[in-house]
Amino acid sequence: MKLSIKKEILTESLNQVSKAISTKNIIPVLSGIKFNLTMEGLFLTCSDDDITIEVFIDKKDINEIEEVGSIVIPGKYFIDIVRKIPSDIIKLETDGLRIVLYTNNAEYNLNGINANEFPNRDLDTIKTPIYINKKIFKNIINQTAFAASLQESRPILTGINFNIKENILECIATDSYRLSKKTITLNEVIEHEVNIVIPSKNLIELTKIIDDEDENIEMHIFSNTILFKFNNILFQSRLLNGTYPDTSKLISEECLLQITSNLNELYNVIDRASLLTSEKEKNIVKMETTNNELIISSVSQEIGKIEERMKVEKSNETEVKIAFSSKYMMDALRALKSENVILLLNGEIKPIIIKTPNNENLIQLVLPIKTF
Amino acid sequence: MKLSIKKEILTESLNQVSKAISTKNIIPVLSGIKFNLTMEGLFLTCSDDDITIEVFIDKKDINEIEEVGSIVIPGKYFIDIVRKIPSDIIKLETDGLRIVLYTNNAEYNLNGINANEFPNRDLDTIKTPIYINKKIFKNIINQTAFAASLQESRPILTGINFNIKENILECIATDSYRLSKKTITLNEVIEHEVNIVIPSKNLIELTKIIDDEDENIEMHIFSNTILFKFNNILFQSRLLNGTYPDTSKLISEECLLQITSNLNELYNVIDRASLLTSEKEKNIVKMETTNNELIISSVSQEIGKIEERMKVEKSNETEVKIAFSSKYMMDALRALKSENVILLLNGEIKPIIIKTPNNENLIQLVLPIKTF
């Protein structure tokens, strides 16, 4: 393999593909980047068993292709070197199982691995992928992924459930203490119902390499994997096995009391009340209505207590006391984009539904904590 | 105690005094801030056994002093609350051993501790302190402290040696592998020779609260402590016991070869060569002269090798090979401010002296590592 390429182009592609470099270092070849130079262009591939990313650099973006070939290069070191090299053009050449990167004054020799040792992932596409606008797709992940579980005790909850019926995509994440649900209308009707669970951490990595162009991303769904295709990038993730819990009954249509308040103000009040709370004690903050005021409070036997009042709008004269995790409530509020927020309350042991006015597409739910 | 004060003024003073809040939490009162309100103003004090800071807010900067008194307030929580409160004016009032902070809509109650339990540090001053310009003082610390030892095995090396004879102040830090020495001419001649060692981590904390005004800082030296006085702040540090090693013979007047090169370029070349090195293996980088070139290289059996060349100016035709820790060399180069740098070499097992042209006030020294 022998080529010369603009540093800028190589760096951008390395940043994208490197999201799949294994950091576990158990299998050395997986901490590398596979370079495969053909007359059509350069394919870069990384894979960590959980996700595989392939980035293609077209021949028109390569200064010179002198000799095709392939090799696996130690990922982290190569990326660090390319990033710190001062020259605009980078020349790369293999010498047996070594890769030599050279500039006018310097020579960088890295020990490579035979490309045949790199696992062969099937990155096939299908004829009828599902199309979603890139920005909408990123929003889905940003507004739901935080609610997925980080505990491996129930693996299925570490994913985001993608459910498509006809032209309605419903995305749900829950760790069984809170839930986020986003509903999107697709541009076309899907023939077969889709019900899959994608690891949320893989989706978060994916959002990091999706740009903000007003274009679509393609979803190619297989029985055990999903392949996302956009620009010159293929991103494959495994799917989680198992049945995602039915959460539809949690989100009640009825409600005892509806509270409308300024979103930022409510967030800041809860943020301050949370200063005396601790993760160990579930970050408990209490909320109580009296007339047209909300009283937010927290107590720590050791440190002290906080009490703040704020004006809100109530749908009726019912008064409600409820306690919840300030962390979960703040996560939910951060995912909303609006001036005002609506809290739907059904009593102190019923889920709190959080949404914004005139928008049924995004629903956040936080379970209360019994303290009263 | 009862007062109201602008949030901005209180926040600035809290930031300054909080540098001495104990993070060890062994003695609860030391994780607090002592408030002592007199008719003259408010004294804030923190102490962690190693350093004590007292900040004074004059009565003219306090909106209202309603009742004098004192109390110790839990430091971290109080600072977080004040920072996040939206109101411009903060009202503070003690209620027995509780401190109540209130705004229009909120009440924050924190459990305090009796001010009598706060350790009584002697913050006396002397009549003839030593004066140093603030900027010059900060430069001394920034250009030497990194070379002090972090190991407690030889406590004396964790400090910076301040040595004053007549009007010459010499500051030295060394961890026995590298050394930094800064020499300053004071405005006045000191009567008695000073030779003290101040813990470098305390000096680093001190530089964080010294502003950039063109004013002096006062040094009040006692047998076991030093008190720095500036603005409305008293900063006391303990001194390290023991005799600081005599390092004067390390810095040789003679030299076999003098190399002059661009400072940034040399730094970047060593930075790139260091990419293959590791802390575990002492970050070894090799340097070799041939004609008017410097060859910087590094090797890692596992990963590969790097070799860069750069043009330099040599004082004579002697050729030298030497190896050193890239980390120590980069630390030393970062402390210099100049376009060019001078390396004085005396052979592969002799210290490397690093300085800038026409400046004998700052000398960096790095010991070589034997590899050839």
Side-chain angles (χ1 to χ4, degrees):
Chain A
M1 184 180 89
K2 191 172 178 185
L3 76 158
S4 60
I5 184 167
K6 279 210 184 82
K7 175 185 157 165
E8 196 188 325
I9 289 172
L10 185 61
T11 305
E12 193 194 342
S13 299
L14 287 173
N15 284 342
Q16 293 163 340
V17 79
S18 67
K19 299 285 183 289
I21 288 182
S22 174
T23 49
K24 284 182 193 152
N25 253 329
I26 302 172
I27 308 169
V29 76
L30 296 190
S31 65
I33 303 167
K34 186 175 119 183
F35 278 63
N36 182 21
L37 182 63
T38 70
M39 289 314 291
E40 299 310 308
L42 177 63
F43 293 88
L44 303 177
T45 315
C46 287
S47 181
D48 71 355
D49 267 345
D50 209 39
I51 55 176
T52 298
I53 304 177
E54 184 182 284
V55 177
F56 176 65
I57 304 173
D58 193 90
K59 63 177 187 294
K60 73 175 165 39
D61 291 324
I62 298 174
N63 294 43
E64 203 179 347
I65 299 177
E66 285 190 55
E67 198 187 321
V68 300
S70 57
I71 191 169
V72 179
I73 300 179
K76 179 189 166 302
Y77 296 100
F78 185 75
I79 291 173
D80 283 349
I81 289 170
V82 170
R83 196 174 290 148
K84 291 200 168 179
I85 273 181
S87 52
D88 291 338
I89 302 286
I90 284 169
K91 292 178 193 169
L92 275 178
E93 186 175 350
T94 51
D95 175 9
L97 280 183
R98 284 190 309 133
I99 176 103
V100 189
L101 182 159
Y102 46 98
T103 64
N104 284 342
N105 315 309
E107 223 185 273
Y108 302 82
N109 279 265
L110 292 174
N111 303 330
I113 298 176
N114 193 310
N116 295 333
E117 293 186 31
F118 201 82
N120 207 357
R121 309 288 182 205
D122 183 357
L123 298 175
D124 280 349
T125 53
I126 54 174
K127 275 189 201 152
T128 53
I130 296 160
Y131 296 90
I132 305 184
N133 177 279
K134 283 176 178 173
K135 283 187 198 167
I136 293 175
F137 184 81
K138 285 212 276 189
N139 261 336
I140 293 176
I141 310 308
N142 292 337
Q143 296 180 323
T144 59
F146 65 86
S149 175
L150 299 171
Q151 313 287 329
E152 287 296 334
S153 52
R154 279 183 76 187
I156 195 85
L157 295 188
T158 63
I160 299 180
N161 179 213
F162 278 62
N163 193 302
I164 310 177
K165 280 182 194 136
E166 304 204 325
N167 63 341
I168 301 297
L169 164 62
E170 210 179 79
C171 294
I172 297 177
T174 180
D175 60 5
S176 80
Y177 301 106
R178 34 84 178 267
L179 176 146
S180 297
K181 180 174 133 184
K182 175 98 180 184
T183 310
I184 294 293
T185 306
L186 300 175
N187 283 332
E188 29 187 359
V189 171
I190 307 302
E191 210 174 311
H192 301 289
E193 186 183 329
V194 169
N195 191 7
I196 55 174
V197 186
I198 310 169
S200 71
K201 70 176 171 54
N202 297 357
L203 290 169
I204 291 169
E205 289 305 318
L206 172 58
T207 58
K208 290 179 188 161
I209 58 173
I210 299 178
D211 59 37
D212 282 327
E213 296 295 318
D214 192 16
E215 292 167 344
N216 284 328
I217 178 168
E218 296 174 22
M219 300 205 294
H220 300 255
I221 301 168
F222 299 87
S223 55
N224 292 311
T225 59
I226 181 166
L227 183 80
F228 296 94
K229 189 178 171 191
F230 55 102
N231 309 359
N232 50 347
I233 300 173
L234 297 177
F235 183 108
Q236 186 189 66
S237 166
R238 70 181 170 100
L239 297 179
L240 291 168
N241 290 322
T243 310
Y244 201 77
D246 177 16
T247 57
S248 57
K249 284 182 194 123
L250 269 175
I251 302 164
S252 158
E253 293 287 317
E254 293 161 23
C255 100
L256 206 61
L257 174 66
Q258 176 172 323
I259 296 172
T260 307
S261 94
N262 179 280
L263 175 57
N264 265 335
E265 200 186 334
L266 181 66
Y267 181 89
N268 290 333
V269 168
I270 295 173
D271 185 21
R272 288 192 292 272
S274 77
L275 289 174
L276 299 192
T277 70
S278 69
E279 190 94 40
K280 216 176 63 190
E281 287 163 9
K282 293 183 192 162
N283 302 300
I284 297 180
V285 161
K286 291 183 188 180
M287 189 171 93
E288 207 179 323
T289 60
T290 52
N291 300 322
N292 62 344
E293 278 194 333
L294 207 58
I295 305 173
I296 305 275
S297 64
S298 72
V299 178
S300 154
Q301 213 63 40
E302 221 174 289
I303 312 155
K305 60 182 181 184
I306 289 180
E307 193 178 293
E308 288 214 31
R309 287 160 181 272
M310 64 180 285
K311 292 258 179 296
V312 292
E313 230 173 73
K314 281 168 62 189
S315 60
N316 59 54
E317 291 181 357
T318 317
E319 303 292 7
V320 173
K321 281 183 187 181
I322 199 161
F324 50 80
S325 151
S326 59
K327 181 182 179 306
Y328 291 171
M329 182 60 83
M330 286 162 72
D331 282 349
L333 293 175
R334 253 198 309 269
L336 305 179
K337 279 165 198 143
S338 173
E339 200 190 327
N340 291 319
V341 59
I342 296 173
L343 304 182
L344 304 182
L345 303 173
N346 271 306
E348 66 184 80
I349 58 164
K350 291 288 170 58
I352 306 166
I353 309 282
I354 304 132
K355 56 183 195 174
T356 55
N358 315 317
N359 181 355
E360 296 300 320
N361 294 334
L362 180 61
I363 285 176
Q364 304 285 346
L365 180 152
V366 172
L367 287 190
I369 300 172
K370 241 179 130 170
T371 62
F372 293 101
Chain B
M1 184 180 89
K2 192 172 177 185
L3 76 157
S4 60
I5 185 168
K6 279 210 184 83
K7 174 185 158 165
E8 194 188 326
I9 289 172
L10 185 60
T11 306
E12 192 193 342
S13 300
L14 287 172
N15 284 343
Q16 293 162 342
V17 80
S18 67
K19 299 285 183 288
I21 288 182
S22 172
T23 49
K24 284 183 195 151
N25 253 328
I26 302 171
I27 308 169
V29 76
L30 296 189
S31 65
I33 303 166
K34 187 175 119 183
F35 278 63
N36 182 21
L37 183 63
T38 70
M39 289 314 291
E40 298 310 309
L42 176 63
F43 293 88
L44 303 177
T45 316
C46 288
S47 182
D48 70 355
D49 267 344
D50 210 38
I51 56 176
T52 298
I53 305 177
E54 184 181 284
V55 177
F56 176 65
I57 304 174
D58 192 273
K59 62 177 187 294
K60 73 175 165 40
D61 291 324
I62 298 175
N63 293 42
E64 204 181 345
I65 300 178
E66 284 190 57
E67 197 188 321
V68 300
S70 57
I71 191 169
V72 179
I73 300 179
K76 180 188 163 305
Y77 295 100
F78 185 75
I79 291 172
D80 283 349
I81 289 170
V82 170
R83 197 174 290 148
K84 291 200 168 178
I85 272 180
S87 52
D88 291 338
I89 303 287
I90 283 169
K91 292 178 192 168
L92 275 178
E93 187 176 349
T94 51
D95 174 10
L97 280 182
R98 283 188 311 132
I99 176 102
V100 189
L101 182 159
Y102 46 98
T103 64
N104 284 341
N105 316 309
E107 223 186 271
Y108 302 81
N109 279 265
L110 292 173
N111 304 328
I113 298 175
N114 194 310
N116 294 333
E117 292 186 33
F118 201 82
N120 206 356
R121 309 287 183 206
D122 184 357
L123 298 175
D124 281 350
T125 54
I126 55 175
K127 277 189 198 150
T128 52
I130 296 161
Y131 297 90
I132 305 184
N133 177 279
K134 283 177 179 173
K135 282 186 199 169
I136 292 175
F137 183 82
K138 285 212 276 190
N139 262 336
I140 293 175
I141 310 308
N142 292 337
Q143 295 180 325
T144 59
F146 64 87
S149 175
L150 299 171
Q151 311 288 330
E152 287 296 334
S153 53
R154 279 183 77 187
I156 195 83
L157 295 188
T158 63
I160 298 180
N161 179 213
F162 278 63
N163 193 301
I164 311 177
K165 281 182 193 138
E166 303 204 325
N167 63 342
I168 302 297
L169 165 63
E170 211 179 77
C171 294
I172 296 178
T174 179
D175 60 5
S176 80
Y177 301 106
R178 35 85 178 267
L179 177 146
S180 297
K181 180 175 135 183
K182 174 97 181 185
T183 311
I184 295 292
T185 306
L186 300 175
N187 284 332
E188 28 188 0
V189 171
I190 306 302
E191 209 173 311
H192 301 288
E193 186 181 329
V194 169
N195 192 7
I196 55 173
V197 186
I198 311 169
S200 70
K201 70 177 169 56
N202 297 356
L203 290 168
I204 291 169
E205 289 305 319
L206 172 58
T207 58
K208 289 179 189 164
I209 58 173
I210 300 178
D211 59 37
D212 282 327
E213 296 295 319
D214 193 16
E215 293 167 345
N216 283 328
I217 177 167
E218 296 175 22
M219 299 204 296
H220 299 256
I221 300 168
F222 299 87
S223 55
N224 292 311
T225 59
I226 181 165
L227 184 80
F228 297 93
K229 190 179 170 189
F230 56 102
N231 308 359
N232 51 347
I233 299 173
L234 298 176
F235 183 108
Q236 187 189 64
S237 167
R238 69 182 171 99
L239 297 178
L240 291 168
N241 291 321
T243 309
Y244 202 78
D246 177 16
T247 56
S248 58
K249 282 180 197 126
L250 268 175
I251 302 163
S252 158
E253 293 287 316
E254 294 161 24
C255 99
L256 206 62
L257 175 66
Q258 176 172 325
I259 295 172
T260 307
S261 94
N262 179 280
L263 175 57
N264 264 336
E265 199 185 335
L266 181 65
Y267 181 89
N268 290 333
V269 168
I270 295 173
D271 185 20
R272 287 192 291 272
S274 77
L275 288 175
L276 299 192
T277 70
S278 70
E279 190 95 38
K280 215 174 66 189
E281 287 163 9
K282 293 183 191 162
N283 302 301
I284 298 179
V285 160
K286 291 184 187 180
M287 189 171 92
E288 208 180 321
T289 59
T290 52
N291 302 321
N292 62 344
E293 278 194 333
L294 207 58
I295 305 173
I296 305 275
S297 64
S298 72
V299 178
S300 155
Q301 213 64 39
E302 221 175 291
I303 313 156
K305 59 182 182 183
I306 290 181
E307 193 178 292
E308 288 214 31
R309 287 159 181 273
M310 63 180 286
K311 292 257 179 297
V312 293
E313 229 173 76
K314 281 167 62 188
S315 60
N316 59 53
E317 292 183 357
T318 316
E319 304 291 6
V320 174
K321 281 183 188 182
I322 198 161
F324 50 80
S325 151
S326 59
K327 181 184 179 303
Y328 291 171
M329 183 59 84
M330 286 162 71
D331 282 348
L333 293 175
R334 253 198 309 267
L336 306 178
K337 280 166 199 146
S338 173
E339 199 189 327
N340 291 319
V341 59
I342 297 173
L343 304 182
L344 304 181
L345 302 172
N346 271 307
E348 66 184 81
I349 58 165
K350 292 289 171 57
I352 306 166
I353 309 283
I354 305 133
K355 55 183 195 175
T356 55
N358 315 317
N359 181 355
E360 296 300 320
N361 293 334
L362 180 62
I363 285 177
Q364 304 285 346
L365 180 152
V366 172
L367 288 191
I369 300 171
K370 242 180 130 171
T371 61
F372 294 100

